[in-house]
């Protein structure tokens, strides 16, 4: 059987060096307090609604007070996406 030819491989060339880019993180000190405030307002809204048998915080909303409380909590999660 004839011997196959040996292929000459190209010399190894390392990949080009990556340039270091500075990541500029802006100061978002407002995010954590607003997020926690939204969570606490939503929780307090729901707890007050249950403790007062639906007469507070807003009597005219009835059971929609639960939706308002969870809305505050959802807004807190929305704000938390801005935290770095």
């Amino acid at each position: 059987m004839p011997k196959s030819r040996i292929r000459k491989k190209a010399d190894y060339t390392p990949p080009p060096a990556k340039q270091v880019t500075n990541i500029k993180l802006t100061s978002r000190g407002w995010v954590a307090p607003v997020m926690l405030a939204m969570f606490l307002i939503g929780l307090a809204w729901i707890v007050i609604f249950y403790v007062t048998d639906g007469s507070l915080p807003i009597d005219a909303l009835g059971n929609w007070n639960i939706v308002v409380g969870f809305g505050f909590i959802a807004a807190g999660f929305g704000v938390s996406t801005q935290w770095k």
Side-chain angles (χ1 to χ4, degrees):
M1 178 177 264
K3 195 172 187 179
S4 64
R5 288 188 289 164
I6 299 174
R7 295 182 195 157
K8 186 175 183 180
K9 294 183 180 180
D11 292 335
Y12 174 75
T13 55
K18 295 181 181 178
Q19 294 179 351
V20 178
T21 58
N22 292 335
I23 298 173
K24 186 177 181 182
L25 296 176
T26 59
S27 176
R28 296 187 181 194
W30 60 271
V31 173
V34 171
M35 176 184 65
L36 292 175
M38 292 289 200
F39 288 153
L40 292 175
I41 290 170
L43 180 65
W45 194 289
I46 293 171
V47 168
I48 289 171
F49 174 72
Y50 277 116
V51 168
T52 61
D53 292 327
S55 62
L56 287 176
I58 300 175
D59 190 27
L61 290 179
N63 286 334
W64 283 98
N65 279 306
I66 297 170
V67 175
V68 172
F70 278 114
F72 276 111
I73 293 171
F77 279 114
V79 170
S80 72
T81 62
Q82 299 299 316
W83 195 5
K84 289 187 179 188

